[in-house]
Amino acid sequence: MAKIIVVTSGKGGVGKTTTSASIGAGLANRGFKTVVIDFDVGLRNLDLIMGCENRIVYDFVDVISGTAKLSQALVKDKKLENLYILPASQTRDKDALTDEGVAAVMKELAEEMNFDYIVCDSPAGIERGAQLAMYHADEALIVTNPEVSSVRDSDRIIGILQSRTKKVEEGGSVREHLIITRYNPERAAQGEMMDLDTIANEILRVPLLGVVPESNAVLEASNHGQPVIHYPESAAGQCYDDIVARFLGEERPLRHLDVKKKGFFQRLFGG
């Protein structure tokens, strides 16, 4: 039975699509048949990060509207045999996705195409597209930055996950996980950004699945159309690999969180 994962956030620009791409690639690399769906109608960033923008003929809205079959719209990843992308449309009509259409796509992916994991890359916020992405979820990856506005907006998303999903309507609950991105240990130690304990345990109270430090590799990977998990030498790539492993039940310690000691000249001149 397919497991549906929504990758969501309250605020835009926190690294949600980067996370969706790396989670999808990480699951597929471990042998799971995985599809990543871009719910962000109008923007369509997922295909750029996954390097398949030139292969798109049909998209999610084409499938919903009956213009194309689901099998025609799925784009197979260049590297991983088990990974597929269902791209978003660039239409400006944010209501192009319907409840019935999304439900039918989920059912076909799970029951007829036998996917193991369906990763839903949600638009930010609480508007209709985001709620559609969350509705069918079994598990939620809540992505936030260590900033007050990002954390507070994530709290609103958690409220929706706990009240407006299919799981809740059926008497269950969506399993929640927290991912903190763009974390800088030095700035957190100096009180310039929120620390992990305050975010995870005091405000959101969601189990911490992983922390991804600020890393130039994220931008480099994006520019090359690669999920950053394919950059195993980078801190971000290693942290996303840890996140996938923990999601699947492995125990791995958090890493890349130590405050680096400054050298003599750095202490003398600052920086």
Side-chain angles (χ1 to χ4, degrees), residues 7-9 11-21 40 121-125 143:
V7 180
T8 183
S9 72
K11 189 170 177 287
V14 299
K16 198 165 17 46
T17 301
T18 294
T19 298
S20 298
D40 206 346
D121 182 24
S122 168
V143 183

Side-chain angles (χ1 to χ4, degrees), residues 61-188:
V61 172
D62 290 323
V63 177
I64 299 284
S65 64
T67 305
K69 294 180 179 178
L70 181 53
S71 57
Q72 293 176 291
L74 290 177
V75 182
K76 194 171 185 178
D77 187 69
K78 296 175 186 175
K79 276 192 169 184
L80 297 168
E81 185 74 17
N82 290 335
L83 182 60
Y84 294 80
I85 298 109
L86 180 56
S89 169
Q90 287 187 315
T91 176
R92 293 184 179 182
D93 182 6
K94 297 286 185 181
D95 294 325
L97 300 180
T98 63
D99 295 337
E100 299 78 11
V102 172
V105 168
M106 294 295 174
K107 185 176 181 182
E108 186 173 348
L109 289 169
E111 297 180 8
E112 297 178 30
M113 295 184 159
N114 298 316
F115 277 92
D116 296 305
Y117 286 100
I118 301 168
V119 180
C120 302
D121 182 24
S122 168
I126 57 173
E127 294 182 357
R128 179 175 169 74
Q131 293 189 31
L132 279 171
M134 282 187 269
Y135 182 74
H136 296 274
D138 300 303
E139 310 220 16
L141 308 184
I142 301 151
V143 183
T144 191
N145 290 161
E147 303 165 356
V148 173
S149 60
S150 179
V151 175
R152 295 295 179 194
D153 287 347
S154 293
D155 214 11
R156 298 180 68 197
I157 292 297
I158 292 167
I160 294 174
L161 287 167
Q162 294 176 349
S163 60
R164 295 188 196 170
T165 63
K166 187 178 178 185
K167 278 275 185 188
V168 173
E169 289 174 0
E170 294 172 348
S173 61
V174 176
R175 189 177 174 209
E176 299 164 350
H177 312 268
L178 180 65
I179 296 174
I180 299 174
T181 55
R182 295 180 182 164
Y183 190 72
N184 184 315
E186 285 83 8
R187 292 186 61 197

